Amino acid sequence: MAWQRRADKSWPPTRRNFGGMMSKIAEHARNFGDKPALIDGSTGIRLTYAELDRRSIQCARLFKAEGLQFGDHIAVMTENVPETLVVAWAAMRSGLYLTPINWHLNADEAGYVVRDCQAKWLLISPGVGEVADALDAAIAPHVSRWTLGAARSGYRSLTEQLDDLPVVALAEDEELEGELMFYSSGTTGRPKGILRDLKPRPTDGDPHPLTELTRALYGFSEDTVYLCPAPLYHAAPLAWSMVVQRLGGTVVLMRRFDPVDALRLIEQYAIDRVQMVPTMFVRMLKLPQAERARFDVSSLQAVIHAAAPCPVGVKQEMIQWWGPIIYEYYAGSEGGGFVAVGPSEWLQKPGTVGKALTATIHILDDDGNSLPPGEVGTVYFDGNADFEYHGDPAKTAETYNADGWHTLGDMGFLDEDGYLFLTDRKSHMIISGGVNIYPQEAENVLTMHPAVLDVAVIGIPNTEYGEEVKAVVQLVDEEAASVELAQELMDYAQSRLAKFKCPRSVDFVAELPRLPSGKLLKRALRDRYWPSGSSRKV
């Protein structure tokens, strides 16, 4: 079975000499050292390739001095700051696993990740100081603790320490490359680390697979100026930013997403490529027309979105605004399959996430039987998902079926031409009176109402039917919440969907529990209603 592959390998892998492969960052520093590898969108401060090379070498030497060995784990709990990329490249140079931690977590949640990934080294940034004060009790005492900026109680200053270290690359920099180990979003329980084997450093003859994919599909190159508007603790923002730097392009980093600021940066730096999530599209589309028209976005050549479902109407409006440059993909950090669609294909088949590029898709019913085109079931990939959930072989095995096909837990169907359409996550499905209801349909409709900024549709208890459909809505104007608006939203949905799919009640909230990656924490939302919770109702 696929999840048993690691047992057949020697671990850790034996070190080998792979022919003096130069770090991509070192190569870029040699070829165009003064070129910005990164621009901090908030401050305008630039980190050149020469500086990124120098600082990542010094950080790799610090790891060596700290006794870190090939295959060890480190963790960073940092905001979107340039130093995050410095440490990431140092980990790649040192053959280490790097786990970025969501800095919105509390000390117990962050401590769990530090313990679970078995981190021996931890870096925080000043903005997460309050969590750090409580984090010490949640992690092992042997973890080496570091902070950016001035030293603080229990944490040494990485900034000050690096200045004293030599700028001579270690021999290990010529051999093996580290890996990023991200944690699942934890939408259905404790998050799990997605662990892959360390591999030889990529060369021009053996390029990094994500580098080749972005180059082939989206035209990434050394001329790319890429906007990163999402937190680096998520997989795509960090991995894709590093891909841009592998190619020698420039990353413009946002500290946090703001729709007006994103438009400003696109104009200011002539951004040509950006990756976003649908909630960012919605927030930009809700801006007044005059505000949207202030900015020149003509430099954009490819806007890529993923991570969460995008309502058809939202994407159509974005294409009307920015032109046919909106690309979409469907994949997971676990790997196993990559599905993609370009703008022209999508306009022919609105709502599709595309065709599989790296695996065969199977749609299976609950008994594991293959379903014909047009019928909804669980989406499986027949491909190489070469990963395991760190320390949890049982959870790893649960994602595979008897044929070794891997699923991310999403529901969908294939059309006659092999295009995949997602309906929802299996765990989100509402069963009311024995009827399966996919809440994404109602969410897509309600998102288009001008009063709605964000919406979640969930099942809540019903004594007769088991569950009934409820919409939880975040409004553009919080003060507009009323009984009349709730009824208007229900009527709006019923005018566009079958009545059984529509909410029977609406609650208004100040903010929905959505991750910056765009993923909605429906488990946290449902906890308010099962069996008892609170939300302001009208």
Side-chain angles (χ1 to χ4, degrees):
M1 291 298 180
W3 59 86
Q4 296 173 329
R5 288 177 182 143
R6 185 181 295 277
D8 300 328
K9 302 177 181 178
S10 61
W11 184 256
T14 304
R15 279 189 177 280
R16 294 181 290 158
N17 189 320
F18 291 97
M21 303 181 216
M22 176 178 289
S23 158
K24 282 294 181 184
I25 300 304
E27 181 181 328
H28 298 328
R30 183 185 64 182
N31 293 338
F32 34 78
D34 291 337
K35 181 178 180 178
L38 184 143
I39 300 172
D40 187 330
S42 297
T43 64
I45 293 174
R46 299 176 177 228
L47 183 72
T48 68
Y49 274 102
E51 292 166 334
L52 178 58
D53 184 49
R54 173 175 60 84
R55 298 300 272 180
S56 61
I57 287 173
Q58 290 174 310
C59 191
R61 283 197 163 272
L62 175 63
F63 293 154
K64 187 74 172 179
E66 287 279 289
L68 294 173
Q69 302 293 319
F70 169 77
D72 281 344
H73 291 250
I74 67 172
V76 296
M77 192 172 179
T78 54
E79 301 147 295
N80 274 22
V81 291
E83 291 87 348
T84 305
L85 273 300
V86 170
V87 174
W89 280 113
M92 298 305 103
R93 305 183 91 129
S94 305
L96 302 176
Y97 284 102
L98 170 70
T99 291
I101 301 175
N102 182 340
W103 47 268
H104 292 93
L105 299 180
N106 62 34
D108 177 65
E109 293 165 329
Y112 159 79
V113 175
V114 175
R115 295 191 308 272
D116 190 73
C117 76
Q118 299 171 316
K120 296 184 177 180
W121 190 91
L122 171 67
L123 174 69
I124 65 166
S125 60
V128 302
E130 289 185 10
V131 174
D133 290 339
L135 190 58
D136 287 347
I139 61 178
H142 69 266
V143 177
S144 183
R145 297 162 170 82
W146 296 79
T147 184
L148 298 175
R152 55 182 292 129
S153 177
Y155 290 80
R156 289 175 281 174
S157 170
L158 179 68
T159 310
E160 296 171 2
Q161 187 71 31
L162 292 189
D163 291 335
D164 298 328
L165 292 171
V167 190
V168 179
L170 296 163
E172 288 86 346
D173 194 13
E174 304 298 318
E175 298 180 3
L176 298 174
E177 182 164 84
E179 265 284 357
L180 302 172
M181 190 175 92
F182 295 100
Y183 270 65
S184 64
S185 299
T187 54
T188 58
R190 282 286 202 182
K192 288 296 178 183
I194 300 166
L195 181 67
R196 303 181 185 282
D197 287 345
L198 300 180
K199 295 177 177 63
R201 182 176 303 287
T203 67
D204 290 339
D206 180 23
H208 191 282
L210 187 55
T211 305
E212 285 304 284
L213 185 148
T214 55
R215 183 167 21 208
L217 289 183
Y218 312 119
F220 280 46
S221 71
E222 68 177 50
D223 297 322
T224 293
V225 183
Y226 173 79
L227 179 66
C228 178
L232 292 174
Y233 57 69
H234 284 300
L238 179 55
W240 285 54
S241 293
M242 295 181 76
V243 159
V244 172
Q245 292 174 338
R246 287 182 190 278
L247 290 167
T250 298
V251 175
V252 178
L253 185 64
M254 294 185 73
R255 294 290 176 105
R256 63 182 65 231
F257 177 75
D258 174 83
V260 174
D261 201 34
L263 294 172
R264 176 186 65 81
L265 292 171
I266 290 170
E267 178 181 74
Q268 179 178 353
Y269 293 106
I271 301 294
D272 56 85
R273 281 159 181 83
V274 59
Q275 188 180 58
M276 292 186 163
V277 296
T279 53
M280 296 176 182
F281 290 164
V282 172
R283 280 160 172 73
M284 288 190 292
L285 289 170
K286 299 291 183 180
L287 291 172
Q289 184 60 42
E291 189 80 348
R292 287 164 49 179
R294 283 177 49 210
F295 301 96
D296 179 5
V297 296
S298 61
S299 60
L300 289 172
Q301 298 178 36
V303 177
I304 306 105
H305 73 91
C310 185
V312 169
V314 168
K315 191 164 178 176
Q316 287 172 333
E317 288 194 26
M318 288 301 300
I319 291 174
Q320 289 171 8
W321 181 12
W322 285 357
I325 59 170
I326 312 292
Y327 295 78
E328 183 172 2
Y329 72 88
Y330 165 64
S333 300
E334 292 86 346
F338 191 94
V339 180
V341 64
S344 59
E345 290 176 288
W346 187 89
L347 287 168
Q348 295 297 316
K349 293 179 177 287
T352 184
V353 294
K355 283 187 172 182
L357 302 183
T358 61
T360 301
I361 295 175
H362 302 271
I363 307 296
L364 306 182
D365 65 18
D366 288 342
D367 295 321
N369 301 310
S370 293
L371 294 172
E375 291 198 25
V376 174
T378 302
V379 180
Y380 279 85
F381 291 108
D382 179 5
N384 180 18
D386 195 20
F387 85 101
E388 66 181 57
Y389 288 118
H390 180 56
D392 198 336
K395 182 176 176 63
T396 306
E398 288 173 3
T399 68
Y400 291 87
N401 70 357
D403 295 310
W405 303 341
H406 169 67
T407 182
L408 296 169
D410 292 309
M411 306 285 289
F413 66 90
L414 292 170
D415 72 4
E416 295 286 353
D417 299 318
Y419 284 86
L420 177 64
F421 292 75
L422 297 178
T423 54
D424 218 321
R425 290 192 64 80
K426 191 170 185 177
S427 60
H428 294 169
M429 189 170 65
I430 300 167
I431 303 176
S432 182
V435 177
N436 293 345
I437 300 170
Y438 300 104
Q440 183 181 315
E441 289 186 88
E443 289 168 350
N444 289 348
V445 167
L446 289 170
T447 296
M448 301 309 297
H449 190 284
V452 175
L453 182 63
D454 202 0
V455 59
V457 173
I458 60 172
I460 65 169
N462 180 287
T463 55
E464 182 178 359
Y465 295 106
E467 289 184 279
E468 67 175 67
V469 182
K470 173 180 283 294
V472 185
V473 174
Q474 179 181 345
L475 295 172
V476 174
D477 177 9
E478 188 177 350
E479 298 302 316
S482 67
V483 173
E484 292 74 21
L485 181 55
Q487 186 61 53
E488 179 182 330
L489 293 175
M490 289 187 283
D491 293 342
Y492 182 84
Q494 289 180 22
S495 69
R496 290 159 175 79
L497 289 174
K499 188 173 182 178
F500 75 90
K501 299 178 180 180
C502 298
R504 297 177 60 179
S505 60
V506 174
D507 285 5
F508 296 112
V509 295
E511 186 174 13
L512 288 172
R514 192 182 286 274
L515 295 173
S517 67
K519 291 183 179 179
L520 189 64
L521 293 176
K522 284 197 173 180
R523 174 175 54 86
L525 198 59
R526 284 195 298 262
D527 285 348
R528 303 177 188 179
Y529 300 91
W530 294 81
S532 62
S534 61
S535 182
R536 184 163 64 90
K537 303 180 182 181
V538 295

